[in-house]
């Protein structure tokens, strides 16, 4: 182990997993994988070829016939083993997440835990996948529904949850009897690469789970492949829109989770201490790189002064540093390019007339001068028409936008193109009820800053934060990954007369 407990300093060239064996990509194109806290290259990831995508899909297709015939109770034995392996390797995986993504170690442990929880949920497939039946829909006629897997599914993952997000889909897809191709984010391929070795160790038959590394070309090759039956995507809104239209135009199923702009409304009656803790974690946790991250804080009336004062105090005292340092509360953003994007938004906020109360641009983290750090940043006097109030910044930037009353706040939220999450902080049930009833967002927090649904519930999303109808996770997954077949049965004829009860 090194000073900070990295699992390895350099992970070499990432391999693909095809048909049960790890293979070097034949592509000559490689991208560096960078530790965002140090700026150092820690691996190389291939931009795999169309041919390699075709080989992975062919391996998945070949594995499908036997896998779908494997009884669900036997299929989930592999997931039980995988769950145990993920538990046993939780700390190691969390350290890899932090090393490649940058988030603080405690947050990384939390996301690996979430991946374990979805695996546990999928272990219930023998019950969850069961169909329904109804006897005597007409005299002597019964009807029942069976759920069947469809074939090969694929997944296109974002950078910000290297362990958790691929597991919103993978365990359900294979538990239902489908076979799978994962394309991790090219910015963070290490966690899934390590998990792929655990998948092998869990004894899944060759070809049930495959992994192909790369970027846009791999995505296009997957979406154009005739044997891919459906795609799960998580990432930014423009790419989600592209993936959704391309997949559905080819007759594939698609569920595409997209970008966000999340609002946090604080009523004057809120419990201020708990609220500030929740705001800080929502806005600055994972350096603001969560699709549920709070971005615009709307204190109502008298809540404005205390929220501003407390938020500033708490933001100033956050310890920014390398996520593997136990003292760190907030790590770097993912890349130099993304750091520049966040800086650009801060500059734009200033140009548009917002008041910059705390500027995170000039932060220095001793010993990590090459890292991509943005300090906690707070704007005041933000107006709804400003870019920083409307667009996704995906960085540690709080925008204070005071509002007269709840009505005005709901009006601002409803004007947003996004609908991922919104939270209200209040001790008044009437306010909370009004908020949850009227706000067009998929995930609503009531005195909760990060309203992240747990495994039995779908991870929702509305408006331009989601394209599709069946979301990731929970029971939506079972519908997404199965086809329903309805069987109508009559056993009647000369030899057999249906039973009739005597009056
Ligand atoms: P991204 O859209 O840049 O990339 C996501 C995936 O798409 C990657 O695997 C990438 O290789 C691929 N990709 C990128 N450009 C492509 C193109 N032109 N054509 C085809 N494929 C392409 O997203 P990101 O920066 O990795 O992730 C951050 C974004 O994800 C944020 O917008 C965030 O809000 C969103 N996100 C949403 C949710 C949700 O549940 N709604 C969850 C997590 C992240």
């Amino acid at each position: 182990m090194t000073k900070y407990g990295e699992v390895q300093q350099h992970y070499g060239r990432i391999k693909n997993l095809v048909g049960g064996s790890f293979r070097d990509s034949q592509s000559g194109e490689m991208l560096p994988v960078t530790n965002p806290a140090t700026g150092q290259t820690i691996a190389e990831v291939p931009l795999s070829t169309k041919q390699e995508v075709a080989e992975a899909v062919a391996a998945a297709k070949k594995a499908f016939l036997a896998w779908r015939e494997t009884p669900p109770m036997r299929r989930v034995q592999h997931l039980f083993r995988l769950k145990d392996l993920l538990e046993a390797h939780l700390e190691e995986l969390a350290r890899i997440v932090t090393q490649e993504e940058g988030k603080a170690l405690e947050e990384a442990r939390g996301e690996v835990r979430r991946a374990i929880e979805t695996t546990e949920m999928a272990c219930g497939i023998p019950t969850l996948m069961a169909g329904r039946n109804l006897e005597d829909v007409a005299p002597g006629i019964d009807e029942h529904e069976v759920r069947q897997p469809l074939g090969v599914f694929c997944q296109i993952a974002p950078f910000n949850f290297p362990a958790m997000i691929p597991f919103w889909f993978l365990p359900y897809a294979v538990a239902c009897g489908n076979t799978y191709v994962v394309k991790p984010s090219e910015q963070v391929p290490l966690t899934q690469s390590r998990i792929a070795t655990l998948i092998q160790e869990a004894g899944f038959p060759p070809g049930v789970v495959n992994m192909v590394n790369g970027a846009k070309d791999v995505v296009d090759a997957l979406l154009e492949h005739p044997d891919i039956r459906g795609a799960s995507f998580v990432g930014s809104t423009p790419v989600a829109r592209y993936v959704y239209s391309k997949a559905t135009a080819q007759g594939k199923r698609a569920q595409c989770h997209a970008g966000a702009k999340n609002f946090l409304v604080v009523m004057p009656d809120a419990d201020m201490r708990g609220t500030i803790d929740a705001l800080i974690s929502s806005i600055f946790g994972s350096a603001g790189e969560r699709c549920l991250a709070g971005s615009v804080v709307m204190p109502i009336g008298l809540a404005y002064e205390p929220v501003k004062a407390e938020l500033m105090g708490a933001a100033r005292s956050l310890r920014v540093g390398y996520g593997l340092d136990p003292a760190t509360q907030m790590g770097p953003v993912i890349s130099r390019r993304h750091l520049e994007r966040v800086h650009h938004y801060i500059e734009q906020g200033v140009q548009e007339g917002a008041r910059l109360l705390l500027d995170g641009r000039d932060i220095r983290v001793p010993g990590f001068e090459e890292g991509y750090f943005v300090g906690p940043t707070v704007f005041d006097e933000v107006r709804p028409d400003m870019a920083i109030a409307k667009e996704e910044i995906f960085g540690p930037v709080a925008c204070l936008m005071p509002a007269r009353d709840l009505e005005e706040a709901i009006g601002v939220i409803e004007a947003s193109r996004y609908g991922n999450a919104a939270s209200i902080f209040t001790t008044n049930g009437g306010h909370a009820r009004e908020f949850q009833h009227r706000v067009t967002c998929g995930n609503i927090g009531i005195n909760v800053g990060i309203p992240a649904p747990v495994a039995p519930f779908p991870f929702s999303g509305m408006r331009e934060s989601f394209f599709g109808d069946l979301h990731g996770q929970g029971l939506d997954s079972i519908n997404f990954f199965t086809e329903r077949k309805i069987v109508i049965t009559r056993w009647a004829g000369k030899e057999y007369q249906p039973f009739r009860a005597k009056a």
Side-chain angles (χ1 to χ4, degrees), residues 156-161 165 168 183-187 214-216 219-220 233-237 239-240 242-243 257-260 290-291 392 394 420 459-460 465:
I156 300 142
F159 80 79
N160 63 332
F161 283 95
I165 287 183
W168 281 357
K183 193 217 71 79
S185 164
E186 66 278 22
Q187 298 190 86
K216 178 176 168 46
V219 174
D220 286 338
F233 170 89
V234 184
S236 59
T237 291
V239 184
Y242 170 78
V243 169
H257 292 265
R290 287 193 285 218
C291 67
E392 182 176 45
F394 226 50
N420 214 37
F459 194 102
S460 195
S465 293

